[in-house]
Amino acid sequence: MDSLKQRNTIFFSLILVVAFISRLIPHPPNFTALGALLLVGTAVAGRKYLIPLMAIGVYFLSDLILNNVIYSQFFDGFTLVSSIFVFVALSYLAIFGIARFVLNKMKPGRLLLAAVFSSIAFFLISNFGVWWIGAGYPNTPEGLMAAYTAALPYLSYDFLANIVFGLAFT
C-alpha cells in the first residue's frame, strides 16, 4: 500500500471512530461528528460513494448500542433500527449531495456554506420523519409545524458540530 493510500485509510478510520464515539458519549443534542464525516469525507475521499454508506453504517451501529443498552428501557426488546432510521439515512444522502455540489474544493467558506445547508437538510428531513411516524405530533400541517418548532433549538447544535468537527477533520 503506498503511503498516500495508507494515510487516507488511517485518516478515514480515525474520522469513523470519532463519529462513532461522538454519538455514544454524553453530548448536546445533535452535536455529533456524522455530518462532518459526510462533508469532509465527500470533499476529500477518492471513492466518494462510500462516504454515505460509512455514515449510515456508523449511525446504524451506534444506534444498536444506544437503543439496546443506553436507552433500552424505552424499547420493548431488541431494537434493530429505530423508527426514525430511514429519515436520518435520507438526510445523510441529502448531505452527501450538498457536499458533492458545494465542496468541490475544500475551503473554509465552502465548508461554512455546506454546514448551513446540511444542517437545514438534516433538520427538515429528520423532523419530518418524527412527525410522519406520529411521535407526539398529530399528522396535520399544524402538527408538522409543531414538530419543526420544537426541534429548532437542536438546529444550532447540528450546525456547530458540522463546523467544529469539519474544521477538526480538515
Side-chain angles (χ1 to χ4, degrees):
M1 181 182 293
D2 67 0
S3 65
L4 179 59
K5 190 173 182 181
Q6 187 175 17
R7 282 196 321 252
N8 283 345
T9 300
I10 292 169
F11 174 71
F12 282 109
S13 297
L14 288 172
I15 289 177
L16 288 170
V17 168
V18 169
F20 182 77
I21 292 171
S22 74
R23 289 213 62 227
L24 299 179
I25 62 172
H27 59 275
N30 289 4
F31 196 88
T32 71
L34 281 167
L37 161 66
L38 283 154
L39 295 174
V40 174
T42 301
V44 302
R47 295 182 183 147
K48 295 180 187 322
Y49 66 91
L50 292 176
I51 300 302
L53 297 175
M54 286 189 223
I56 292 168
V58 167
Y59 177 74
F60 173 76
L61 292 174
S62 59
D63 233 24
L64 275 177
I65 294 169
L66 290 170
N67 294 336
N68 294 294
V69 177
I70 309 295
Y71 303 123
S72 61
Q73 71 271 17
F74 299 113
F75 296 95
D76 293 328
F78 180 79
T79 303
L80 184 62
V81 294
S82 63
S83 54
I84 195 75
F85 179 85
V86 170
F87 293 96
V88 172
L90 288 172
S91 72
Y92 289 169
L93 292 174
I95 293 169
F96 173 70
I98 290 166
R100 291 282 306 208
F101 182 73
V102 176
L103 291 173
N104 54 358
K105 293 181 184 174
M106 181 54 91
K107 294 182 178 181
R110 287 180 178 265
L111 178 61
L112 180 66
L113 185 63
V116 167
F117 286 126
S118 295
S119 297
I120 292 169
F122 181 81
F123 173 84
L124 291 173
I125 296 168
S126 64
N127 289 297
F128 177 84
V130 168
W131 170 78
W132 182 264
I133 64 171
Y137 302 99
N139 285 108
T140 64
E142 295 79 17
L144 178 59
M145 288 303 108
Y148 283 136
T149 301
L152 273 174
Y154 307 113
L155 179 60
S156 61
Y157 289 122
D158 186 58
F159 171 71
L160 287 173
N162 287 341
I163 293 297
V164 168
F165 287 111
L167 291 173
F169 292 161
T170 56

